[in-house]
C-alpha cells in the first residue's frame, strides 16, 4: 500500500482495504490514539480505562467482528457544550470507545489515500499541519496586499453534509464495498439525545473520529475550484477566508463560493459571511486571532474563553494556597501564550494586569476586606510580589522571544 500511495493505483480507485482496517497492528495503534485524545464514555458507559483493562480481549473481539462483517456501531451520545461568548450551545456526538477505535482504524487507511491529493491551502486536521501554518499564510497574504477578505461561514456545516454526495466523493477513490458500508453505518448511527433517539439523514457528528477527514473530503472540491480560478483561499476545516487584492475580486470570489456551496447542498450563513477591508477599522477573526490594519491580536471570543478559564481558577472562595492557585493559572497562561505569542505586545500587558487583579482580589477577600480598593491592593501586593511567587508573566515571555540573539 505504501508503494501504491507513492506511485498511485490504476484508475485511481482502491480495492480490498477492509483487511488493512481490521489488522491487529492497526487496531492497537488506533486505540493508542484514542487513549491519547482521552474523552468520555459513550452510551455504554465504558470508559477508556475500562476498555484498556481488557485491551487484548476487546481488540480481538473488534478485529473478529470487523473481519466477519458482524460489527455494528452503537448509538452516539449527544451532548451540548457552550460556545464561547454566546448563549447557544454546540452539539457534540460521543461514540463509544470501541467505535472510536474502529473509526480511528478506518481513518488510518483512508487518510493517506485522500491526503496525497488534498489542496495545499487546506490546513485543518491534516498530518503535519495546523492552525499556526494557516495563520502564517493569512498574515503573509495580508502583507503582500491581499487585504480584501471574504470572511465566510458555513451554517451548521457538520450537521448538513449530504450523505449521498459525501459517499459519492469517497467512492471516487474507494471501491471496497465492506469499507464503504462501514462509513455509511457511521453516518447513519443513531443519536441518543436527552429527549429521544433518532437517526440522522445528513451530517457527520462533531466529536466522531472520522468526521474531520470526511469534512475535508467533502470541501476538497471547493479548495481545488478556488485554486483553479486563481483565488487565495485558506481553509481550516469549515472555517475559511479568501484573500483578494480588490473589492471587486472579493465580490467575485464570494459569488463563486456561494455557487459552489449551493450546488453542494450547503448554506453560507447570511449574517456571518461578509467582505472586509482589513486595512480599515473592524477587521476579521480567523482561528482565534483578530486581524486589522496591519496588526493582529486575540479575538474577543478568544479573550472571553481565556478569562472564563482564569475566573474558574481564581474564585475568591477557593480553598487552595496562593502557590497552588498560581501553579494552575500558569498552566493556562503558558498554553495561551504559546498560541497567541505573536500578538501585539499591548495585549500581554493588559492580560497580565487583569490576572494580577484577580489574585489580589483573592488575597483581599482572605483578609476580610470589602471592596476593590485597587490602589491599596497594588501597594500591599505589587507586581514584584507575584513575580517572586512564580506567576508567569506574558510581558516578560514576549520580551524574551523578541530579544535579538546574542552576537
Amino acid at each position: 500500500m505504501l508503494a501504491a500511495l507513492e506511485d498511485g493505483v490504476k484508475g485511481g480507485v482502491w480495492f480490498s482495504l477492509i483487511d488493512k482496517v481490521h489488522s491487529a497492528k492497526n487496531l492497537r495503534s488506533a486505540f493508542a490514539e484514542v487513549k491519547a485524545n482521552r474523552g468520555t464514555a459513550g452510551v455504554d458507559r465504558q470508559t477508556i480505562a475500562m476498555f484498556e483493562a481488557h485491551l487484548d480481549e476487546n481488540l480481538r473481539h473488534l478485529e473478529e467482528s470487523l473481519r466477519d462483517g458482524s460489527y455494528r456501531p452503537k448509538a452516539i451520545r449527544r451532548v451540548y457544550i457552550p460556545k464561547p461568548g454566546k448563549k447557544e450551545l454546540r452539539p457534540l456526538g460521543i461514540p463509544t470507545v470501541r467505535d472510536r477505535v474502529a473509526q480511528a482504524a478506518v481513518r488510518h487507511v483512508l487518510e493517506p489515500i485522500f491526503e496525497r491529493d488534498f489542496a495545499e491551502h487546506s490546513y485543518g486536521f491534516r498530518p503535519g499541519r495546523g492552525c499556526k501554518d494557516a495563520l502564517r499564510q493569512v498574515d503573509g497574504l495580508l502583507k503582500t496586499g491581499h487585504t480584501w477578505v471574504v470572511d465566510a461561514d458555513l451554517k451548521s456545516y457538520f450537521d448538513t453534509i449530504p450523505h449521498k454526495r459525501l459517499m459519492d466523493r469517497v467512492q471516487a477513490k474507494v471501491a471496497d464495498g465492506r469499507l464503504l458500508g462501514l462509513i455509511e453505518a457511521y453516518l447513519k448511527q443513531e443519536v441518543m439525545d436527552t429527549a429521544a433517539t433518532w437517526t440522522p439523514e445528513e451530517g457527520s457528528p462533531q466529536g466522531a473520529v472520522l468526521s474531520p477527514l470526511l469534512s475535508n473530503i467533502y470541501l476538497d472540491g471547493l479548495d481545488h475550484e478556488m485554486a483553479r480560478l486563481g483565488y487565495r483561499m485558506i481553509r481550516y476545516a469549515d472555517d475559511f477566508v479568501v484573500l483578494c487584492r480588490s473589492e471587486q475580486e472579493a465580490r467575485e470570489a464570494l459569488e463563486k463560493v456561494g455557487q459552489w456551496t449551493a450546488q453542494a447542498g450547503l448554506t453560507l450563513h447570511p449574517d456571518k459571511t461578509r467582505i472586509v477591508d482589513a486595512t480599515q477599522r473592524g477587521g476579521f477573526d480567523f482561528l482565534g486571532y483578530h486581524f486589522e490594519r496591519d496588526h493582529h491580536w486575540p479575538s474577543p471570543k478568544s479573550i472571553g474563553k481565556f478569562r472564563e478559564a482564569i475566573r474558574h481558577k481564581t474564585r475568591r472562595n477557593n480553598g487552595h494556597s496562593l502557590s497552588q492557585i498560581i501553579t494552575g493559572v500558569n498552566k493556562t497562561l503558558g498554553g495561551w501564550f504559546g498560541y497567541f505569542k505573536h500578538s501585539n505586545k499591548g495585549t500581554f500587558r493588559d492580560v497580565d494586569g487583569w490576572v494580577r487583579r484577580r489574585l489580589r482580589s483573592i488575597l483581599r477577600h482572605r483578609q476580610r476586606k470589602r471592596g476593590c480598593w485597587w490602589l491599596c491592593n497594588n501597594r500591599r501586593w505589587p507586581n514584584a510580589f507575584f513575580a517572586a511567587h512564580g506567576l508567569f508573566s506574558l510581558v516578560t515571555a514576549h520580551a524574551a522571544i523578541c530579544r535579538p540573539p546574542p552576537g
Side-chain angles (χ1 to χ4, degrees):
M1 185 175 180
L2 290 174
L5 285 170
E6 185 70 27
D7 304 328
V9 293
K10 186 176 181 179
V13 181
W14 290 76
F15 296 84
S16 303
L17 293 171
I18 193 66
D19 61 309
K20 298 169 181 61
V21 172
H22 63 61
S23 74
K25 186 176 181 180
N26 187 27
L27 291 177
R28 193 165 291 276
S29 173
F31 172 75
E33 181 181 298
V34 170
K35 180 181 178 181
N37 290 333
R38 295 180 293 182
T40 186
V43 295
D44 62 356
R45 300 183 181 277
Q46 185 183 46
T47 64
I48 293 174
M50 294 165 64
F51 190 93
E52 188 177 22
H54 306 281
L55 183 60
D56 291 340
E57 180 182 356
N58 286 330
L59 292 183
R60 185 174 65 254
H61 288 164
L62 180 56
E63 179 183 354
E64 291 172 355
S65 63
L66 287 168
R67 182 190 296 111
D68 63 26
S70 62
Y71 170 82
R72 299 292 183 275
K74 296 182 180 180
I76 290 176
R77 183 166 67 91
R78 167 80 37 118
V79 297
Y80 297 87
I81 61 173
K83 291 185 177 181
K86 298 181 180 180
K87 294 183 179 180
E88 58 184 302
L89 299 176
R90 183 191 305 279
L92 287 181
I94 303 178
T96 64
V97 176
R98 180 198 68 152
D99 290 341
R100 297 208 294 272
V101 173
Q103 285 193 36
V106 170
R107 185 178 62 77
H108 289 172
V109 174
L110 284 182
E111 187 173 69
I113 293 173
F114 287 90
E115 176 66 28
R116 67 193 304 270
D117 295 321
F118 277 158
E120 184 66 23
H121 56 259
S122 167
Y123 292 92
F125 306 107
R126 294 184 59 188
R129 290 166 168 254
C131 292
K132 292 184 179 181
D133 300 306
L135 290 166
R136 275 191 289 269
Q137 289 297 315
V138 169
D139 187 50
L141 287 169
L142 289 171
K143 289 176 178 176
T144 57
H146 295 77
T147 56
W148 283 92
V149 181
V150 177
D151 184 10
D153 185 276
L154 291 172
K155 188 175 182 180
S156 302
Y157 171 60
F158 281 89
D159 292 330
T160 59
I161 301 174
H163 288 173
K164 174 64 168 59
R165 297 180 188 181
L166 171 59
M167 290 306 301
D168 288 343
R169 285 160 169 74
V170 175
Q171 290 177 49
K173 293 187 177 182
V174 174
D176 186 316
R178 293 269 304 278
L179 181 54
L180 292 172
L182 196 56
I183 297 170
E184 285 195 89
Y186 288 132
L187 294 175
K188 299 294 185 182
Q189 273 181 277
E190 286 189 330
V191 177
M192 187 175 291
D193 215 325
T194 52
T197 299
W198 49 281
T199 302
E201 297 182 359
E202 57 184 9
S204 182
Q206 294 189 67
V209 176
L210 203 53
S211 288
L213 175 60
L214 295 178
S215 72
N216 275 337
I217 290 172
Y218 199 67
L219 286 181
D220 187 53
L222 174 62
D223 293 337
H224 286 287
E225 176 64 9
M226 296 302 284
R228 184 185 69 81
L229 295 172
Y231 294 112
R232 309 301 296 270
M233 185 172 90
I234 307 296
R235 183 174 69 82
Y236 191 96
D238 61 330
D239 195 0
F240 64 92
V241 289
V242 186
L243 293 98
C244 306
R245 289 187 177 276
S246 68
E247 182 178 6
Q248 179 63 28
E249 183 185 357
R251 294 193 181 280
E252 292 171 355
L254 178 56
E255 182 178 356
K256 295 298 182 183
V257 170
Q259 291 173 357
W260 190 94
T261 52
Q263 292 172 358
L266 304 174
T267 304
L268 286 174
H269 199 298
D271 300 325
K272 298 180 181 179
T273 300
R274 60 200 182 111
I275 292 176
V276 177
D277 181 359
T279 65
Q280 302 300 313
R281 184 180 296 275
F284 66 97
D285 296 343
F286 186 61
L287 299 182
Y289 272 88
H290 180 79
F291 294 85
E292 180 182 331
R293 294 175 292 175
D294 297 326
H295 298 286
H296 49 268
W297 57 84
S299 68
K301 183 186 296 186
S302 299
I303 291 289
K305 186 176 181 179
F306 165 78
R307 290 196 172 196
E308 186 61 32
I310 293 296
R311 285 191 185 99
H312 179 73
K313 294 182 176 183
T314 56
R315 292 172 179 160
R316 288 193 302 173
N317 60 353
N318 77 73
H320 298 300
S321 67
L322 180 62
S323 62
Q324 289 176 308
I325 295 173
I326 287 177
T327 297
V329 167
N330 281 351
K331 291 180 180 179
T332 301
L333 286 170
W336 194 81
F337 178 76
Y339 190 77
F340 290 106
K341 61 186 175 184
H342 299 296
S343 300
N344 288 1
K345 63 180 181 179
T347 300
F348 307 117
R349 181 186 62 248
D350 295 342
V351 173
D352 273 349
W354 181 80
V355 171
R356 286 192 294 265
R357 286 196 296 275
R358 294 286 303 178
L359 296 174
R360 289 184 181 112
S361 180
I362 293 173
L363 296 172
R364 185 172 180 83
H365 178 74
R366 290 179 177 180
Q367 292 188 354
R368 291 182 169 80
K369 295 182 182 293
R370 296 184 177 183
C372 180
W373 295 98
W374 63 270
L375 187 58
C376 293
N377 289 348
N378 289 357
R379 289 172 178 170
R380 186 174 289 111
W381 302 292
N383 295 356
F385 170 84
F386 296 106
H389 280 75
L391 179 64
F392 185 92
S393 168
L394 298 171
V395 169
T396 302
H398 184 255
I401 66 170
C402 293
R403 188 180 302 124

